[in-house]
Amino acid sequence: MRSIVRWVVSRLRRYLPDRNPLRRRSDRVEAALAAAALAAVLFAAWPAALAARTVYDDGVAAERVGPGTRQLVEATLVEATSIGDTSAVPANGRGLPAAIPARWTLPSGEVRAGVVPAALLLRDGPADARLWVDAAGRPAAPPPQRAETVTRAGLAAAGVVASAAVLAWACFALARHRLDRRRYREWEAAWAAADQRWRRHRI
């Protein structure tokens, strides 16, 4: 923990503006770039909040159940031959069907039949189950829970901030690399000039 604190303090001392006469122009440029990168990450809070709000609203809409949206209906499991399909009931490695022929009655009274993925069926017994259907009466996944909606919104916000942070860091690292190359050239030129002066003094 102390090492992290020391690193943060050293970074602050390096980039905070001061009247140090040894600070070069490239050092001031680097400090300005660091401030710009930090500002970009902080500014990403707004699009992150917007993304989280959009995902949250979509999740809340998907949670709605009732007429015109998703509804839970009773289903009856039947033999594949009784609905004219014997090829769409594969078995997985555990010997359980991946899809089960079933009939279900919509709230309007209409009876539908088809092969339903086993994962979508809430089994109540050997031949009885419940099934979520969409507004068109087709089998659908269960509505998401509020915790799932909140989690997705949080992940969306974190993704936006993380993307902004990575992009800002990459731009800063590239700019700093170029500044370092320029500083190295200036350092070599200064040493060469000093070497020439020392040689003249020796002569």
Side-chain angles (χ1 to χ4, degrees), residues 20-117:
N20 188 343
L22 298 179
R23 190 178 292 274
R24 299 160 295 185
R25 180 175 179 273
S26 59
D27 297 329
R28 296 188 178 89
V29 171
E30 182 178 344
L33 291 174
L38 179 60
V41 175
L42 295 177
F43 181 76
W46 178 77
L50 182 61
R53 182 65 182 180
T54 301
V55 173
Y56 181 80
D57 290 343
D58 291 342
V60 170
E63 293 175 20
R64 297 193 185 101
V65 296
T69 57
R70 210 174 322 214
Q71 299 185 75
L72 189 62
V73 299
E74 299 294 329
T76 301
L77 309 183
V78 297
E79 294 294 335
T81 54
S82 65
I83 61 173
D85 186 356
T86 58
S87 62
V89 193
N92 55 26
R94 298 178 182 176
L96 299 176
I100 302 175
R103 286 194 180 93
W104 59 94
T105 303
L106 301 181
S108 62
E110 180 185 355
V111 177
R112 297 282 184 89
V115 178
V116 181

Side-chain angles (χ1 to χ4, degrees), residues 2-198:
R2 291 182 179 178
S3 60
I4 296 177
V5 173
R6 291 197 197 99
W7 183 86
V8 172
V9 172
S10 66
R11 296 298 99 177
L12 290 176
R13 288 179 177 176
R14 178 171 182 173
Y15 294 127
L16 286 178
D18 55 26
R19 298 181 180 276
N20 188 343
L22 298 179
R23 190 178 292 274
R24 299 160 295 185
R25 180 175 179 273
S26 59
D27 297 329
R28 296 188 178 89
V29 171
E30 182 178 344
L33 291 174
L38 179 60
V41 175
L42 295 177
F43 181 76
W46 178 77
L50 182 61
R53 182 65 182 180
T54 301
V55 173
Y56 181 80
D57 290 343
D58 291 342
V60 170
E63 293 175 20
R64 297 193 185 101
V65 296
T69 57
R70 210 174 322 214
Q71 299 185 75
L72 189 62
V73 299
E74 299 294 329
T76 301
L77 309 183
V78 297
E79 294 294 335
T81 54
S82 65
I83 61 173
D85 186 356
T86 58
S87 62
V89 193
N92 55 26
R94 298 178 182 176
L96 299 176
I100 302 175
R103 286 194 180 93
W104 59 94
T105 303
L106 301 181
S108 62
E110 180 185 355
V111 177
R112 297 282 184 89
V115 178
V116 181
L120 299 182
L121 291 169
L122 305 176
R123 301 289 292 268
D124 293 328
D128 298 323
R130 288 171 294 160
L131 173 68
W132 285 98
V133 295
D134 58 18
R138 296 169 299 198
Q145 300 296 320
R146 182 55 55 91
E148 183 180 351
T149 299
V150 173
T151 300
R152 289 180 176 177
L155 291 175
V160 172
V161 174
S163 300
V166 170
L167 181 60
W169 178 85
C171 293
F172 174 74
L174 178 61
R176 182 180 177 182
H177 175 69
R178 293 184 176 181
L179 288 173
D180 286 341
R181 292 180 60 183
R182 180 178 178 181
R183 283 190 283 248
Y184 292 150
R185 289 194 300 267
E186 293 175 351
W187 185 255
E188 291 176 357
W191 272 111
D195 182 64
Q196 291 295 329
R197 288 197 302 270
W198 292 340

